[in-house]
Amino acid sequence: MPLVTTRIENGIAQVRLARPEKLNALTLDTLTELVATARTLRRDRSIRAVVIAGDGPSFCSGLDIPGTMKNPRKIVGAFIPAPWRGTNLFQEACWAWRRVPVPVIAAVHGHCYGGGLQIALSADFRFATADSKWSVLEGKWGIIPDMTGVRSLTEVVGLDVAKRLTMTAEQIDGTEAARLGLVSEVHDDPIEAATGFAQRLATRSPDAVAAAKRLFDGAVTSSARRTFARERREQLRLLLLRRNTKILQKAAMTKTAPEFRPRGS
Protein backbone atom coordinates (compact mmCIF):
# COMPACT_ATOMS: atom_id res chain seq x y z
CA MET A 1 0.00 0.00 0.00
CA PRO A 2 1.31 3.49 -0.81
CA LEU A 3 2.30 5.67 2.10
CA VAL A 4 1.55 8.84 0.11
CA THR A 5 -1.44 9.09 -2.22
CA THR A 6 -2.36 11.67 -4.85
CA ARG A 7 -5.69 12.48 -6.47
CA ILE A 8 -6.03 15.29 -9.03
CA GLU A 9 -9.36 17.05 -9.53
CA ASN A 10 -9.80 20.15 -11.68
CA GLY A 11 -6.11 20.91 -11.54
CA ILE A 12 -5.92 20.62 -7.74
CA ALA A 13 -3.63 17.85 -6.46
CA GLN A 14 -4.91 16.32 -3.23
CA VAL A 15 -1.89 14.69 -1.55
CA ARG A 16 -2.38 12.55 1.56
CA LEU A 17 -0.07 10.97 4.08
CA ALA A 18 -1.62 7.51 4.20
CA ARG A 19 -0.50 5.75 7.36
CA PRO A 20 -3.42 6.63 9.60
CA GLU A 21 -3.03 3.69 11.98
CA LYS A 22 0.35 5.17 13.02
CA LEU A 23 -0.83 8.81 13.02
CA ASN A 24 1.08 9.16 9.72
CA ALA A 25 4.43 8.78 11.50
CA LEU A 26 7.24 9.15 8.98
CA THR A 27 9.41 6.27 7.82
CA LEU A 28 12.25 6.39 5.30
CA ASP A 29 9.84 4.91 2.75
CA THR A 30 7.34 7.70 3.46
CA LEU A 31 10.05 10.32 2.93
CA THR A 32 11.05 8.69 -0.35
CA GLU A 33 7.44 8.72 -1.56
CA LEU A 34 7.03 12.38 -0.54
CA VAL A 35 10.04 13.31 -2.66
CA ALA A 36 8.81 11.29 -5.64
CA THR A 37 5.32 12.79 -5.39
CA ALA A 38 6.63 16.36 -5.27
CA ARG A 39 8.86 15.74 -8.29
CA THR A 40 6.00 14.28 -10.29
CA LEU A 41 3.76 17.24 -9.53
CA ARG A 42 6.57 19.66 -10.29
CA ARG A 43 6.72 18.36 -13.87
CA ASP A 44 2.94 18.53 -14.42
CA ARG A 45 2.18 21.95 -15.95
CA SER A 46 -1.56 21.42 -15.69
CA ILE A 47 -1.47 21.42 -11.87
CA ARG A 48 -2.72 24.69 -10.35
CA ALA A 49 -2.26 24.03 -6.62
CA VAL A 50 -1.55 21.27 -4.10
CA VAL A 51 -3.37 20.48 -0.86
CA ILE A 52 -1.41 18.18 1.44
CA ALA A 53 -3.11 16.60 4.45
CA GLY A 54 -3.09 13.44 6.54
CA ASP A 55 -5.54 10.53 6.52
CA GLY A 56 -7.07 9.49 9.82
CA PRO A 57 -6.95 11.40 13.12
CA SER A 58 -3.72 13.36 12.54
CA PHE A 59 -1.70 15.25 9.98
CA CYS A 60 1.60 13.73 11.08
CA SER A 61 3.01 12.75 14.49
CA GLY A 62 6.63 13.07 13.36
CA LEU A 63 9.34 10.53 12.66
CA ASP A 64 8.70 6.88 13.48
CA ILE A 65 11.93 6.57 15.47
CA PRO A 66 11.59 2.89 16.54
CA GLY A 67 10.75 1.80 13.00
CA THR A 68 13.43 3.95 11.41
CA MET A 69 16.18 2.87 13.81
CA LYS A 70 15.80 -0.77 12.79
CA ASN A 71 18.11 -0.16 9.83
CA PRO A 72 21.04 2.07 10.88
CA ARG A 73 22.77 1.64 7.51
CA LYS A 74 19.80 3.13 5.64
CA ILE A 75 19.72 6.03 8.10
CA VAL A 76 23.36 6.84 7.39
CA GLY A 77 22.61 6.79 3.66
CA ALA A 78 19.59 9.03 4.15
CA PHE A 79 21.80 11.64 5.88
CA ILE A 80 24.14 11.99 2.89
CA PRO A 81 23.14 15.02 0.78
CA ALA A 82 22.86 14.88 -2.99
CA PRO A 83 25.57 17.27 -4.25
CA TRP A 84 23.39 18.63 -7.06
CA ARG A 85 20.57 19.52 -4.62
CA GLY A 86 22.31 20.20 -1.33
CA THR A 87 19.69 18.25 0.64
CA ASN A 88 19.57 14.76 2.09
CA LEU A 89 16.48 12.55 2.09
CA PHE A 90 15.07 14.01 5.31
CA GLN A 91 15.50 17.56 4.04
CA GLU A 92 14.34 16.92 0.48
CA ALA A 93 11.09 15.34 1.74
CA CYS A 94 10.23 18.88 2.88
CA TRP A 95 12.17 21.15 0.53
CA ALA A 96 10.87 19.33 -2.57
CA TRP A 97 7.52 21.05 -1.92
CA ARG A 98 9.25 24.41 -2.05
CA ARG A 99 10.46 23.41 -5.51
CA VAL A 100 6.93 22.71 -6.76
CA PRO A 101 6.09 25.82 -8.85
CA VAL A 102 2.46 26.10 -7.69
CA PRO A 103 0.97 27.07 -4.32
CA VAL A 104 1.13 24.27 -1.74
CA ILE A 105 -1.36 24.39 1.13
CA ALA A 106 -1.00 22.18 4.20
CA ALA A 107 -4.35 21.28 5.79
CA VAL A 108 -3.59 20.26 9.37
CA HIS A 109 -5.67 18.52 12.01
CA GLY A 110 -4.68 16.46 15.03
CA HIS A 111 -0.96 16.10 15.66
CA CYS A 112 1.61 18.13 13.74
CA TYR A 113 4.85 17.22 15.45
CA GLY A 114 8.53 17.20 14.54
CA GLY A 115 8.99 16.13 10.95
CA GLY A 116 5.29 16.65 10.33
CA LEU A 117 5.58 20.27 11.38
CA GLN A 118 8.54 20.68 9.04
CA ILE A 119 6.51 19.27 6.15
CA ALA A 120 3.74 21.76 6.95
CA LEU A 121 6.32 24.56 7.02
CA SER A 122 7.45 23.62 3.51
CA ALA A 123 3.98 24.58 2.25
CA ASP A 124 3.22 28.14 1.18
CA PHE A 125 0.17 28.29 3.46
CA ARG A 126 -0.99 26.34 6.53
CA PHE A 127 -4.71 25.95 7.33
CA ALA A 128 -5.45 24.19 10.62
CA THR A 129 -8.14 23.35 13.13
CA ALA A 130 -8.18 25.35 16.35
CA ASP A 131 -7.48 22.21 18.40
CA SER A 132 -4.64 20.88 16.24
CA LYS A 133 -1.45 20.19 18.19
CA TRP A 134 1.87 21.68 17.08
CA SER A 135 5.34 21.05 18.49
CA VAL A 136 8.97 21.16 17.43
CA LEU A 137 9.15 17.83 19.20
CA GLU A 138 12.81 17.13 18.48
CA GLY A 139 13.78 19.09 21.60
CA LYS A 140 12.02 16.49 23.74
CA TRP A 141 14.54 13.90 22.55
CA GLY A 142 17.61 16.12 22.78
CA ILE A 143 17.93 16.78 19.05
CA ILE A 144 17.13 19.66 16.70
CA PRO A 145 14.83 20.04 13.65
CA ASP A 146 16.98 18.97 10.70
CA MET A 147 14.42 18.57 7.89
CA THR A 148 14.87 22.21 6.74
CA GLY A 149 12.96 23.32 9.84
CA VAL A 150 15.58 25.80 11.08
CA ARG A 151 15.34 27.78 7.83
CA SER A 152 11.56 27.50 7.51
CA LEU A 153 10.78 28.32 11.13
CA THR A 154 12.92 31.44 10.97
CA GLU A 155 11.19 32.58 7.78
CA VAL A 156 7.68 31.98 9.09
CA VAL A 157 7.72 33.04 12.75
CA GLY A 158 10.93 35.01 13.19
CA LEU A 159 14.12 34.24 15.03
CA ASP A 160 13.03 34.60 18.65
CA VAL A 161 9.87 32.51 18.32
CA ALA A 162 11.74 29.89 16.27
CA LYS A 163 14.34 29.58 19.04
CA ARG A 164 11.68 29.36 21.73
CA LEU A 165 9.68 26.63 20.01
CA THR A 166 12.84 24.64 19.24
CA MET A 167 14.46 24.96 22.65
CA THR A 168 11.33 24.26 24.71
CA ALA A 169 9.59 21.68 22.47
CA GLU A 170 6.38 23.10 23.93
CA GLN A 171 3.04 21.98 22.49
CA ILE A 172 0.66 24.66 21.25
CA ASP A 173 -2.79 24.47 19.69
CA GLY A 174 -3.86 25.80 16.30
CA THR A 175 -5.18 29.04 17.74
CA GLU A 176 -1.87 29.85 19.43
CA ALA A 177 0.02 28.72 16.33
CA ALA A 178 -1.99 31.21 14.28
CA ARG A 179 -1.21 33.98 16.79
CA LEU A 180 2.50 33.23 16.43
CA GLY A 181 2.25 33.18 12.62
CA LEU A 182 2.91 29.45 12.34
CA VAL A 183 -0.61 28.86 10.98
CA SER A 184 -2.05 31.01 8.17
CA GLU A 185 -5.75 30.44 8.91
CA VAL A 186 -7.87 28.49 11.41
CA HIS A 187 -10.86 26.50 10.08
CA ASP A 188 -13.22 23.79 11.31
CA ASP A 189 -12.51 21.89 8.08
CA PRO A 190 -9.04 22.87 6.87
CA ILE A 191 -9.13 20.52 3.86
CA GLU A 192 -12.33 22.09 2.57
CA ALA A 193 -10.98 25.60 3.24
CA ALA A 194 -7.64 24.80 1.60
CA THR A 195 -9.37 23.35 -1.46
CA GLY A 196 -11.58 26.42 -1.75
CA PHE A 197 -8.52 28.67 -1.54
CA ALA A 198 -6.76 26.54 -4.18
CA GLN A 199 -9.76 26.98 -6.46
CA ARG A 200 -9.55 30.76 -5.99
CA LEU A 201 -5.87 30.69 -6.93
CA ALA A 202 -6.76 28.69 -10.04
CA THR A 203 -8.70 31.70 -11.37
CA ARG A 204 -5.39 33.61 -11.65
CA SER A 205 -2.75 33.21 -14.34
CA PRO A 206 -0.69 30.10 -13.52
CA ASP A 207 2.42 31.83 -14.84
CA ALA A 208 1.96 34.88 -12.60
CA VAL A 209 1.28 32.70 -9.56
CA ALA A 210 4.41 30.63 -10.25
CA ALA A 211 6.47 33.80 -10.71
CA ALA A 212 5.18 35.20 -7.42
CA LYS A 213 6.16 32.02 -5.57
CA ARG A 214 9.66 32.08 -7.08
CA LEU A 215 10.17 35.74 -6.30
CA PHE A 216 9.00 35.68 -2.69
CA ASP A 217 10.86 32.47 -1.86
CA GLY A 218 14.04 33.85 -3.41
CA ALA A 219 13.69 37.26 -1.77
CA VAL A 220 14.28 35.77 1.69
CA THR A 221 17.98 35.21 1.04
CA SER A 222 18.63 37.69 -1.78
CA SER A 223 19.90 41.23 -1.60
CA ALA A 224 17.46 44.00 -2.51
CA ARG A 225 19.36 44.65 -5.74
CA ARG A 226 19.17 41.01 -6.83
CA THR A 227 15.46 40.87 -5.97
CA PHE A 228 14.80 43.96 -8.09
CA ALA A 229 16.63 42.34 -11.03
CA ARG A 230 14.59 39.16 -10.65
CA GLU A 231 11.38 41.22 -10.56
CA ARG A 232 12.32 42.81 -13.90
CA ARG A 233 13.10 39.46 -15.54
CA GLU A 234 9.89 37.82 -14.31
CA GLN A 235 7.78 40.79 -15.42
CA LEU A 236 9.28 40.84 -18.91
CA ARG A 237 8.58 37.12 -19.33
CA LEU A 238 4.98 37.59 -18.20
CA LEU A 239 4.38 40.56 -20.47
CA LEU A 240 6.17 39.34 -23.59
CA LEU A 241 6.31 35.55 -23.51
CA ARG A 242 3.37 34.13 -21.55
CA ARG A 243 0.10 33.47 -23.36
CA ASN A 244 -1.77 33.23 -20.08
CA THR A 245 -1.08 36.91 -19.40
CA LYS A 246 -2.84 37.88 -22.62
CA ILE A 247 -5.66 35.41 -21.93
CA LEU A 248 -6.30 36.94 -18.51
CA GLN A 249 -6.10 40.51 -19.79
CA LYS A 250 -8.56 39.76 -22.59
CA ALA A 251 -10.94 38.03 -20.16
CA ALA A 252 -10.78 41.03 -17.82
CA MET A 253 -11.59 43.44 -20.64
CA THR A 254 -14.49 41.33 -21.96
CA LYS A 255 -15.69 40.34 -18.47
CA THR A 256 -15.53 36.63 -19.29
CA ALA A 257 -13.95 33.70 -17.46
CA PRO A 258 -10.36 33.07 -18.62
CA GLU A 259 -9.50 29.68 -20.11
CA PHE A 260 -5.85 29.28 -19.24
CA ARG A 261 -3.25 27.19 -21.05
CA PRO A 262 -0.83 24.98 -19.10
CA ARG A 263 1.82 26.83 -17.13
CA GLY A 264 4.89 27.91 -19.10
CA SER A 265 8.32 26.45 -18.47
Side-chain angles (χ1 to χ4, degrees), residues 18-217:
R19 200 183 178 214
E21 72 284 358
K22 296 292 185 179
L23 302 180
N24 295 316
L26 302 169
T27 65
L28 295 181
D29 289 336
T30 306
L31 300 179
T32 300
E33 290 188 28
L34 279 168
V35 173
T37 300
R39 290 179 183 171
T40 297
L41 295 176
R42 181 182 181 183
R43 293 191 295 267
D44 189 340
R45 295 187 187 176
S46 68
I47 296 296
R48 304 303 309 279
V50 177
V51 175
I52 182 167
D55 286 340
S58 286
F59 177 75
C60 177
S61 60
L63 187 67
D64 181 352
I65 295 177
T68 304
M69 293 300 292
K70 290 179 180 178
N71 195 329
R73 183 175 295 180
K74 288 186 70 173
I75 293 176
V76 172
F79 263 92
I80 299 173
W84 59 92
R85 288 197 313 258
T87 54
N88 62 26
L89 176 61
F90 296 97
Q91 295 162 335
E92 188 64 14
C94 297
W95 206 252
W97 299 99
R98 299 282 288 264
R99 304 183 203 275
V100 175
V102 300
V104 178
I105 311 155
V108 176
H109 70 290
H111 303 87
C112 187
Y113 291 164
L117 186 148
Q118 293 177 83
I119 291 170
L121 284 170
S122 68
D124 301 287
F125 309 95
R126 284 155 297 284
F127 290 9
T129 59
D131 62 353
S132 55
K133 297 176 175 61
W134 298 70
S135 176
V136 185
L137 198 62
E138 288 84 356
K140 179 180 178 180
W141 308 110
I143 56 178
I144 49 97
D146 66 334
M147 293 172 60
T148 73
V150 171
R151 165 75 176 267
S152 296
L153 269 171
T154 306
E155 289 178 4
V156 171
V157 300
L159 188 58
D160 56 341
V161 176
K163 287 178 179 178
R164 169 188 148 191
L165 294 175
T166 301
M167 294 175 181
T168 65
E170 65 185 292
Q171 179 182 295
I172 58 176
D173 63 20
T175 301
E176 176 66 5
R179 189 187 71 80
L180 294 175
L182 193 61
V183 164
S184 310
E185 298 181 15
V186 174
H187 295 277
D188 291 337
D189 188 337
I191 293 177
E192 181 181 34
T195 302
F197 181 55
Q199 291 167 344
R200 284 174 53 199
L201 292 171
T203 66
R204 303 305 180 193
S205 166
D207 295 310
V209 170
K213 177 168 179 173
R214 283 193 299 269
L215 279 170
F216 281 106
D217 283 351

